[in-house]
Amino acid sequence: MSDTHKSLNFLEQIVEDDLANGYTREQLRFRFPPEPNGYLHIGHCKAIGISFGLGEKYDAPVNLRFDDTNPAKEEQEYVDAIKEDVAWLGYKWDQVCFSSDYFQQLYDWAVEMIKDGKAYVDSQSSEVMAEQKGTPTQPGVAGPYRDRSVEENLDLFERMKAGEFKEGAHVLRAKIDMADPNMLMRDPLMYRILHKDHHRTGNTWCIYPMYDWTHGESDYIEQISHSLCSLEFKPHRKLYDWFLDQVYTGKDLRTKQREFARLNLNYTIMSKRKLLRLVEEGVVSGWDDPRMPTISGLRRRGYTPMALRKFVETVGVAKRENVIDVSLLEFNIRQDLNKTATRVMAVLDPVKLVITNYPEGKEEQLLADNNPEDSNSGTHEVPFSRELYIEREDFKEEASNKYFRLTLGKEVRLKNAYIIKGESVVKDASGAIKEIHCTYDPESRSGSGTEASKRNVKGTLHWVSIQHAVKAEVRLYDRLFNNESPDGHPEKDFMEFLNPESLKVITGYVEPFLANAKVGDRFQFQRLGYFNVDLDSTADKLVFNRTVGLRDSWAKQKPKPQQNQGQPKPQQQQQASALSTINKLGKKLANLPEEKRIATIADIEKHAANLSEEEVKGFFNTAAKKVGTRMAGIVSLYAFAKAHSKEISSIDGAEEFVQKALEDKNELLQEVASR
RNA sequence: UGGCCUAUGGUGUAACUGGCAACACGUCGGUUUUUGGUACCGAAGAGUCUAGGUUCGAGCCCUAGUGGGCCAACCA
């Protein structure tokens, strides 16, 4: 099929429509506008993906703009971190901009507005002004300073700028409409006095513009064609446009704001304020703690830019509130790492395995594929000897035949090595297993090509040679919260849902190949999961983070209780099916092609014999507009009556139901009813 | 006494101009496999919030209702 119509999301559609209605491609320009008051998280990843993605799609520039109008909360540290994160994701911005670069222009425009009677200085307290503002359901009222003269406003505003007043003494407000149903239009603040040093402008200013007055005008200055933001800014759009009206010359591009639903992930939180609390209260080690949903945390955890980009791509763009399941995130990182991560062996919960018929002191270098998914990835050597560690979980003295791992008397393969057979167990005084003794088949070495090496054994275990193993710290992460929606409970603090087991630090044994792994390197620990080398790793102490486990269908079936071994529930399904089949068939009945319709009706008649009278009656109050279902109802009624040799008139409500169908405008329905 | 947004399987997103509701994740089976991974095959799961209307035909258009979200920071 040549019509691979790639469906556009609604933002792409808007851009396409604009292009069709006069915008040129050269006019397209986007921006990502973070406030430098915290680290970027996975939710920002979506926003970044949308604006930068559009930039890539249309080959249009995208500015990275820091919305830095509040010196009380913003810091250079965050600016640097944000740049690093965006760059790491692989996006290229056109210009780095700062709203603070436009402070003078904004001030000049504000003065013009005062002269035009569109802005005034208010000198009340914030509490009083809030009261005058009314509520969403109640209009506001004008304050006493609303009609100050232009001269007085100009004088006051200039003195505000000159630093003559204390914080809170005066503000500049736009003069719009105190009764507007949109609260944001009730004379919004444009400037407040803040005697604080700004991370870029120092002490040049002591009045700072508010978000609404800054954001749209910054877009306009930069000639952003589409200013995309999250849904909570929808009510701001009216103000955005109003402010733009005040400065728009009519000669250049008029920017527009459009809104999309932000990303939410279950089992985590996305609020910067709450993330900051986790950092400040030491619940996590910092913004880049691998359990954090921040980009830097995910990076440290071992996520790849590709996985994150793919993730936000699959999540889509729309306008309804959504909660994405973390499993989708995990799917994306596994998919990427499966193709790229080098396979190695590591034992995290070791038990000693002795191969009694393997010569003492002997060692061999065996070959291991670096990545079976990538034929160009090559191989590496792994040392083998008489004493190994295997995973404690991989041995049971006796087990059902569903257990593919090592038991006494059964054979399994040691990955990349030999086939072994469990022989005996050595236990300590308390009965805990100290050693497992086994024998190996010398002919069965992997890759040797012998008959024995090709033997089919069900299980394959990973292992490390004890004398060659390298100790490493391994950090096992689990979700930070136990609750699907930690901040979705108004009466409870999200901290109550912290998972006490979100981090487990253990010592593991890894094959010597990993001895000189570098910080950030990603591996698959065979049969266990994906791991990367943590920042804390040093030449003499390796530290690994578990990025994500492998899918594990064995772990899933284990906890299953024995009881429901019986039959699933065929009974119930059988019963539901007569009615539900008819419903399904009936739904589209009215707009099927004739031939198919006749066949479908015959089909319904067949099923209708199995209905109960109650089920048939259920059709009688079908909504009038559901013509197909009503048709199916009529057909069922007739077939039912026939099958049970009943008169229509003996069924409550049936005659009325038929009568209504006969009187319906729809010919098909009439036809069916008149049979 | 309000205004704005929104409603499609468990989750997320599609369905172009109205024409037998699709894709991905997840779930459940099966095949392959020197990773209980991967890959491949298959299944279950949605009457598209409700009720009216327009139409031969509505997830899509219109009206009303209902549910959910957002809006009363000198935050962004």
Side-chain angles (χ1 to χ4, degrees), chain A residues 69-73 156-171 191-199 201-209:
Chain A
T69 57
N70 185 358
K73 293 202 288 185
L156 251 14
F157 189 45
E158 201 169 308
R159 287 163 61 197
M160 280 167 65
K161 184 194 175 210
E164 289 186 25
F165 305 116
K166 286 189 305 203
E167 289 187 9
H170 305 280
V171 293
Y191 279 93
R192 77 286 212 190
I193 299 169
L194 244 34
H195 292 285
K196 294 214 166 56
D197 277 6
H198 185 276
H199 71 110
T201 62
N203 60 5
T204 307
W205 296 88
C206 55
I207 54 172
Y208 290 92

CSV table of all heavy atoms in Angstrom, one decimal, chain A residues 69-73 156-171 191-199 201-209, chain B residues 74-75:
chain,number,residue,atom,x,y,z
A,69,THR,N,12.8,34.9,35.4
A,69,THR,CA,12.3,36.2,35.9
A,69,THR,C,12.1,36.3,37.4
A,69,THR,O,11.6,37.2,37.9
A,69,THR,CB,10.9,36.5,35.2
A,69,THR,OG1,10.0,35.4,35.6
A,69,THR,CG2,11.0,36.6,33.7
A,70,ASN,N,12.6,35.2,38.0
A,70,ASN,CA,12.4,35.2,39.5
A,70,ASN,C,13.7,34.9,40.2
A,70,ASN,O,14.1,33.7,40.4
A,70,ASN,CB,11.4,34.1,39.9
A,70,ASN,CG,11.1,34.2,41.4
A,70,ASN,OD1,11.7,34.9,42.1
A,70,ASN,ND2,10.1,33.3,41.8
A,71,PRO,N,14.5,35.9,40.5
A,71,PRO,CA,15.8,35.7,41.0
A,71,PRO,C,15.8,35.0,42.4
A,71,PRO,O,16.9,34.5,42.8
A,71,PRO,CB,16.4,37.1,41.2
A,71,PRO,CG,15.2,38.0,41.2
A,71,PRO,CD,14.1,37.3,40.4
A,72,ALA,N,14.7,34.9,43.0
A,72,ALA,CA,14.6,34.2,44.3
A,72,ALA,C,14.8,32.7,44.2
A,72,ALA,O,15.3,32.1,45.2
A,72,ALA,CB,13.3,34.5,45.0
A,73,LYS,N,14.5,32.2,43.1
A,73,LYS,CA,14.6,30.7,43.0
A,73,LYS,C,15.5,30.2,41.9
A,73,LYS,O,15.7,29.0,41.9
A,73,LYS,CB,13.1,30.2,42.6
A,73,LYS,CG,12.1,30.4,43.7
A,73,LYS,CD,10.9,29.5,43.6
A,73,LYS,CE,10.1,29.8,42.4
A,73,LYS,NZ,8.9,28.9,42.4
A,156,LEU,N,5.6,56.8,39.6
A,156,LEU,CA,5.8,55.7,40.6
A,156,LEU,C,6.6,54.6,40.0
A,156,LEU,O,7.4,54.0,40.6
A,156,LEU,CB,4.4,55.2,40.9
A,156,LEU,CG,3.8,55.5,42.3
A,156,LEU,CD1,4.5,56.5,43.1
A,156,LEU,CD2,2.3,55.8,42.2
A,157,PHE,N,6.2,54.2,38.7
A,157,PHE,CA,6.9,53.1,38.1
A,157,PHE,C,8.4,53.3,38.0
A,157,PHE,O,9.2,52.5,38.2
A,157,PHE,CB,6.3,52.8,36.7
A,157,PHE,CG,6.7,51.5,36.1
A,157,PHE,CD1,6.8,50.3,36.8
A,157,PHE,CD2,7.1,51.5,34.7
A,157,PHE,CE1,7.3,49.2,36.2
A,157,PHE,CE2,7.6,50.3,34.1
A,157,PHE,CZ,7.6,49.2,34.9
A,158,GLU,N,8.7,54.6,37.6
A,158,GLU,CA,10.1,54.9,37.4
A,158,GLU,C,10.9,54.8,38.8
A,158,GLU,O,12.0,54.3,38.9
A,158,GLU,CB,10.2,56.4,36.9
A,158,GLU,CG,11.6,56.6,36.3
A,158,GLU,CD,11.5,58.0,35.5
A,158,GLU,OE1,10.6,58.1,34.7
A,158,GLU,OE2,12.3,58.8,35.8
A,159,ARG,N,10.2,55.2,39.8
A,159,ARG,CA,10.8,55.2,41.2
A,159,ARG,C,10.9,53.8,41.7
A,159,ARG,O,11.8,53.4,42.4
A,159,ARG,CB,10.0,56.1,42.1
A,159,ARG,CG,10.3,57.6,41.8
A,159,ARG,CD,9.3,58.5,42.4
A,159,ARG,NE,9.3,58.4,43.9
A,159,ARG,CZ,8.3,58.9,44.6
A,159,ARG,NH1,7.2,59.4,44.1
A,159,ARG,NH2,8.3,58.7,46.0
A,160,MET,N,9.9,52.9,41.2
A,160,MET,CA,10.0,51.5,41.6
A,160,MET,C,11.3,50.9,41.0
A,160,MET,O,12.1,50.2,41.6
A,160,MET,CB,8.8,50.7,41.0
A,160,MET,CG,7.5,50.8,41.7
A,160,MET,SD,6.1,50.2,40.7
A,160,MET,CE,6.5,48.5,40.6
A,161,LYS,N,11.5,51.3,39.7
A,161,LYS,CA,12.7,50.8,39.0
A,161,LYS,C,14.0,51.4,39.7
A,161,LYS,O,15.0,50.7,39.8
A,161,LYS,CB,12.7,51.3,37.6
A,161,LYS,CG,13.8,50.7,36.8
A,161,LYS,CD,13.9,51.5,35.4
A,161,LYS,CE,15.1,51.0,34.7
A,161,LYS,NZ,15.7,52.0,33.8
A,162,ALA,N,13.9,52.6,40.2
A,162,ALA,CA,15.1,53.2,40.8
A,162,ALA,C,15.4,52.7,42.2
A,162,ALA,O,16.4,53.0,42.8
A,162,ALA,CB,14.9,54.7,40.8
A,163,GLY,N,14.5,51.9,42.7
A,163,GLY,CA,14.8,51.3,44.0
A,163,GLY,C,14.4,52.1,45.2
A,163,GLY,O,14.9,51.9,46.3
A,164,GLU,N,13.4,53.0,44.9
A,164,GLU,CA,13.0,53.9,46.0
A,164,GLU,C,12.1,53.2,47.0
A,164,GLU,O,11.9,53.7,48.1
A,164,GLU,CB,12.3,55.1,45.5
A,164,GLU,CG,13.3,56.1,44.8
A,164,GLU,CD,12.6,57.4,44.4
A,164,GLU,OE1,11.6,57.7,45.0
A,164,GLU,OE2,13.1,58.0,43.4
A,165,PHE,N,11.5,52.1,46.6
A,165,PHE,CA,10.5,51.4,47.5
A,165,PHE,C,10.9,50.1,48.0
A,165,PHE,O,11.8,49.4,47.4
A,165,PHE,CB,9.2,51.3,46.7
A,165,PHE,CG,8.7,52.6,46.2
A,165,PHE,CD1,8.6,52.7,44.8
A,165,PHE,CD2,8.3,53.6,47.0
A,165,PHE,CE1,8.1,53.9,44.2
A,165,PHE,CE2,7.9,54.8,46.4
A,165,PHE,CZ,7.7,55.0,45.1
A,166,LYS,N,10.3,49.7,49.1
A,166,LYS,CA,10.6,48.4,49.6
A,166,LYS,C,9.8,47.3,48.8
A,166,LYS,O,8.8,47.7,48.2
A,166,LYS,CB,10.1,48.3,51.1
A,166,LYS,CG,11.1,49.0,52.0
A,166,LYS,CD,10.7,48.7,53.5
A,166,LYS,CE,9.3,49.1,53.8
A,166,LYS,NZ,9.0,49.3,55.1
A,167,GLU,N,10.2,46.1,48.9
A,167,GLU,CA,9.5,45.0,48.3
A,167,GLU,C,8.0,45.0,48.8
A,167,GLU,O,7.8,45.2,50.0
A,167,GLU,CB,10.1,43.6,48.6
A,167,GLU,CG,11.5,43.4,48.0
A,167,GLU,CD,12.0,42.0,48.2
A,167,GLU,OE1,11.3,41.2,48.7
A,167,GLU,OE2,13.2,41.8,47.8
A,168,GLY,N,7.1,44.9,47.8
A,168,GLY,CA,5.7,44.7,48.2
A,168,GLY,C,5.0,46.1,48.3
A,168,GLY,O,3.8,46.1,48.4
A,169,ALA,N,5.7,47.2,48.2
A,169,ALA,CA,5.1,48.5,48.3
A,169,ALA,C,4.2,48.8,47.2
A,169,ALA,O,3.1,49.3,47.3
A,169,ALA,CB,6.1,49.6,48.5
A,170,HIS,N,4.6,48.5,46.0
A,170,HIS,CA,3.9,48.7,44.8
A,170,HIS,C,4.0,47.6,43.8
A,170,HIS,O,5.0,46.9,43.8
A,170,HIS,CB,4.4,50.0,44.1
A,170,HIS,CG,4.4,51.2,45.0
A,170,HIS,ND1,3.2,52.0,45.3
A,170,HIS,CD2,5.4,51.9,45.6
A,170,HIS,CE1,3.6,53.0,46.0
A,170,HIS,NE2,4.9,52.9,46.3
A,171,VAL,N,3.1,47.5,42.9
A,171,VAL,CA,3.2,46.6,41.7
A,171,VAL,C,2.7,47.3,40.5
A,171,VAL,O,1.9,48.3,40.6
A,171,VAL,CB,2.4,45.3,41.9
A,171,VAL,CG1,3.0,44.4,43.0
A,171,VAL,CG2,1.0,45.5,42.1
A,191,TYR,N,4.7,43.6,37.1
A,191,TYR,CA,6.0,43.8,37.7
A,191,TYR,C,5.8,43.8,39.2
A,191,TYR,O,4.8,44.3,39.8
A,191,TYR,CB,6.6,45.1,37.4
A,191,TYR,CG,7.3,45.1,36.0
A,191,TYR,CD1,6.6,45.5,34.9
A,191,TYR,CD2,8.7,44.7,36.0
A,191,TYR,CE1,7.3,45.5,33.7
A,191,TYR,CE2,9.3,44.7,34.7
A,191,TYR,CZ,8.6,45.1,33.6
A,191,TYR,OH,9.2,45.0,32.4
A,192,ARG,N,6.8,43.2,39.9
A,192,ARG,CA,6.9,43.3,41.4
A,192,ARG,C,8.3,43.8,41.7
A,192,ARG,O,9.2,43.6,41.0
A,192,ARG,CB,6.5,42.0,42.1
A,192,ARG,CG,7.5,40.9,42.1
A,192,ARG,CD,7.7,40.2,40.8
A,192,ARG,NE,8.1,38.8,41.0
A,192,ARG,CZ,8.5,38.0,40.0
A,192,ARG,NH1,8.6,38.5,38.8
A,192,ARG,NH2,8.8,36.8,40.2
A,193,ILE,N,8.4,44.4,42.9
A,193,ILE,CA,9.7,44.9,43.4
A,193,ILE,C,10.4,43.7,44.1
A,193,ILE,O,9.8,43.1,45.0
A,193,ILE,CB,9.5,46.1,44.4
A,193,ILE,CG1,8.8,47.2,43.7
A,193,ILE,CG2,10.9,46.5,45.0
A,193,ILE,CD1,8.4,48.3,44.6
A,194,LEU,N,11.6,43.5,43.7
A,194,LEU,CA,12.4,42.4,44.4
A,194,LEU,C,13.8,42.9,44.5
A,194,LEU,O,14.5,43.0,43.5
A,194,LEU,CB,12.4,41.2,43.5
A,194,LEU,CG,11.7,39.9,43.9
A,194,LEU,CD1,10.5,40.0,44.7
A,194,LEU,CD2,11.3,39.1,42.6
A,195,HIS,N,14.2,43.1,45.7
A,195,HIS,CA,15.6,43.6,45.9
A,195,HIS,C,16.5,42.4,46.0
A,195,HIS,O,17.1,42.1,47.1
A,195,HIS,CB,15.8,44.5,47.1
A,195,HIS,CG,15.0,45.8,47.0
A,195,HIS,ND1,15.6,46.8,46.2
A,195,HIS,CD2,13.8,46.3,47.4
A,195,HIS,CE1,14.7,47.8,46.2
A,195,HIS,NE2,13.7,47.5,46.9
A,196,LYS,N,16.7,41.7,44.9
A,196,LYS,CA,17.5,40.5,44.9
A,196,LYS,C,18.4,40.5,43.7
A,196,LYS,O,18.0,40.9,42.6
A,196,LYS,CB,16.6,39.2,44.8
A,196,LYS,CG,15.7,39.1,46.0
A,196,LYS,CD,15.5,37.6,46.4
A,196,LYS,CE,14.9,37.4,47.7
A,196,LYS,NZ,13.6,38.2,47.9
A,197,ASP,N,19.6,39.9,43.9
A,197,ASP,CA,20.5,39.8,42.8
A,197,ASP,C,20.0,38.7,41.9
A,197,ASP,O,19.6,37.6,42.3
A,197,ASP,CB,21.9,39.5,43.3
A,197,ASP,CG,22.6,40.8,43.7
A,197,ASP,OD1,22.0,41.8,43.7
A,197,ASP,OD2,23.8,40.7,44.0
A,198,HIS,N,20.1,39.0,40.6
A,198,HIS,CA,19.8,38.0,39.6
A,198,HIS,C,21.0,37.3,39.1
A,198,HIS,O,22.1,37.9,39.0
A,198,HIS,CB,19.0,38.7,38.4
A,198,HIS,CG,18.5,37.9,37.4
A,198,HIS,ND1,19.2,37.4,36.3
A,198,HIS,CD2,17.2,37.4,37.2
A,198,HIS,CE1,18.5,36.6,35.5
A,198,HIS,NE2,17.2,36.6,36.1
A,199,HIS,N,20.9,36.0,38.8
A,199,HIS,CA,22.0,35.2,38.4
A,199,HIS,C,22.7,35.8,37.1
A,199,HIS,O,23.8,35.4,36.8
A,199,HIS,CB,21.7,33.7,38.3
A,199,HIS,CG,20.9,33.4,37.1
A,199,HIS,ND1,21.4,32.7,36.0
A,199,HIS,CD2,19.6,33.7,36.8
A,199,HIS,CE1,20.4,32.5,35.1
A,199,HIS,NE2,19.3,33.1,35.5
A,201,THR,N,21.7,39.3,35.7
A,201,THR,CA,21.7,40.8,35.6
A,201,THR,C,22.2,41.4,36.9
A,201,THR,O,22.2,42.6,37.0
A,201,THR,CB,20.3,41.3,35.2
A,201,THR,OG1,19.4,40.9,36.3
A,201,THR,CG2,19.8,40.7,33.9
A,202,GLY,N,22.6,40.6,37.8
A,202,GLY,CA,23.1,41.1,39.1
A,202,GLY,C,22.1,42.0,39.8
A,202,GLY,O,21.0,41.7,39.9
A,203,ASN,N,22.6,43.3,40.1
A,203,ASN,CA,21.7,44.2,40.8
A,203,ASN,C,21.2,45.3,39.9
A,203,ASN,O,20.8,46.3,40.4
A,203,ASN,CB,22.4,44.7,42.1
A,203,ASN,CG,23.7,45.5,41.7
A,203,ASN,OD1,24.0,45.7,40.5
A,203,ASN,ND2,24.4,46.0,42.7
A,204,THR,N,21.3,45.1,38.6
A,204,THR,CA,20.8,46.1,37.7
A,204,THR,C,19.3,46.4,37.9
A,204,THR,O,18.9,47.6,37.7
A,204,THR,CB,21.0,45.6,36.2
A,204,THR,OG1,22.3,45.1,36.1
A,204,THR,CG2,20.7,46.7,35.2
A,205,TRP,N,18.5,45.4,38.2
A,205,TRP,CA,17.1,45.6,38.3
A,205,TRP,C,16.6,45.3,39.7
A,205,TRP,O,17.2,44.4,40.4
A,205,TRP,CB,16.3,44.7,37.4
A,205,TRP,CG,16.6,44.9,35.9
A,205,TRP,CD1,17.6,44.4,35.2
A,205,TRP,CD2,15.9,45.8,35.1
A,205,TRP,NE1,17.6,44.9,33.9
A,205,TRP,CE2,16.5,45.8,33.8
A,205,TRP,CE3,14.8,46.7,35.3
A,205,TRP,CZ2,16.0,46.6,32.7
A,205,TRP,CZ3,14.3,47.4,34.2
A,205,TRP,CH2,15.0,47.4,32.9
A,206,CYS,N,15.6,46.0,40.2
A,206,CYS,CA,15.0,45.7,41.4
A,206,CYS,C,13.5,45.5,41.2
A,206,CYS,O,12.7,45.3,42.1
A,206,CYS,CB,15.3,46.6,42.5
A,206,CYS,SG,14.9,48.3,42.1
A,207,ILE,N,13.1,45.6,39.9
A,207,ILE,CA,11.7,45.2,39.6
A,207,ILE,C,11.9,44.1,38.5
A,207,ILE,O,12.8,44.1,37.7
A,207,ILE,CB,10.9,46.3,39.0
A,207,ILE,CG1,11.6,47.0,37.8
A,207,ILE,CG2,10.5,47.4,40.0
A,207,ILE,CD1,10.7,47.9,37.0
A,208,TYR,N,11.0,43.1,38.7
A,208,TYR,CA,11.1,41.9,37.8
A,208,TYR,C,9.8,41.6,37.2
A,208,TYR,O,8.7,41.7,37.9
A,208,TYR,CB,11.6,40.7,38.6
A,208,TYR,CG,13.1,40.8,39.0
A,208,TYR,CD1,13.5,41.4,40.2
A,208,TYR,CD2,14.1,40.5,38.1
A,208,TYR,CE1,14.8,41.5,40.5
A,208,TYR,CE2,15.5,40.6,38.4
A,208,TYR,CZ,15.8,41.1,39.6
A,208,TYR,OH,17.1,41.3,40.0
A,209,PRO,N,9.8,41.3,35.9
A,209,PRO,CA,8.5,41.1,35.2
A,209,PRO,C,7.9,39.7,35.6
A,209,PRO,O,8.7,38.8,35.9
A,209,PRO,CB,8.8,41.1,33.8
A,209,PRO,CG,10.3,40.7,33.7
A,209,PRO,CD,10.9,41.2,35.0
B,74,C,P,0.0,37.5,44.2
B,74,C,OP1,-0.3,37.8,45.6
B,74,C,OP2,-1.0,37.6,43.1
B,74,C,O5',1.2,38.4,43.7
B,74,C,C5',1.9,38.2,42.5
B,74,C,C4',3.3,38.5,42.6
B,74,C,O4',3.4,39.9,43.0
B,74,C,C3',4.1,37.7,43.7
B,74,C,O3',5.4,37.6,43.2
B,74,C,C2',4.1,38.6,44.9
B,74,C,O2',5.2,38.5,45.7
B,74,C,C1',4.1,40.0,44.2
B,74,C,N1,3.6,41.1,45.0
B,74,C,C2,4.4,42.1,45.5
B,74,C,O2,5.6,42.0,45.2
B,74,C,N3,3.9,43.1,46.2
B,74,C,C4,2.6,43.1,46.5
B,74,C,N4,2.2,44.1,47.3
B,74,C,C5,1.8,42.1,46.1
B,74,C,C6,2.3,41.1,45.3
B,75,C,P,6.2,36.2,43.4
B,75,C,OP1,6.3,35.9,44.8
B,75,C,OP2,7.4,36.3,42.5
B,75,C,O5',5.2,35.2,42.7
B,75,C,C5',5.3,34.8,41.3
B,75,C,C4',6.1,33.6,41.2
B,75,C,O4',5.4,32.5,41.8
B,75,C,C3',6.4,33.1,39.8
B,75,C,O3',7.5,33.9,39.2
B,75,C,C2',6.7,31.7,39.9
B,75,C,O2',8.0,31.5,40.4
B,75,C,C1',5.7,31.3,41.1
B,75,C,N1,4.5,30.8,40.6
B,75,C,C2,4.4,29.4,40.3
B,75,C,O2,5.4,28.7,40.4
B,75,C,N3,3.2,28.8,39.8
B,75,C,C4,2.2,29.6,39.7
B,75,C,N4,1.0,29.0,39.3
B,75,C,C5,2.2,31.0,40.0
B,75,C,C6,3.3,31.5,40.4
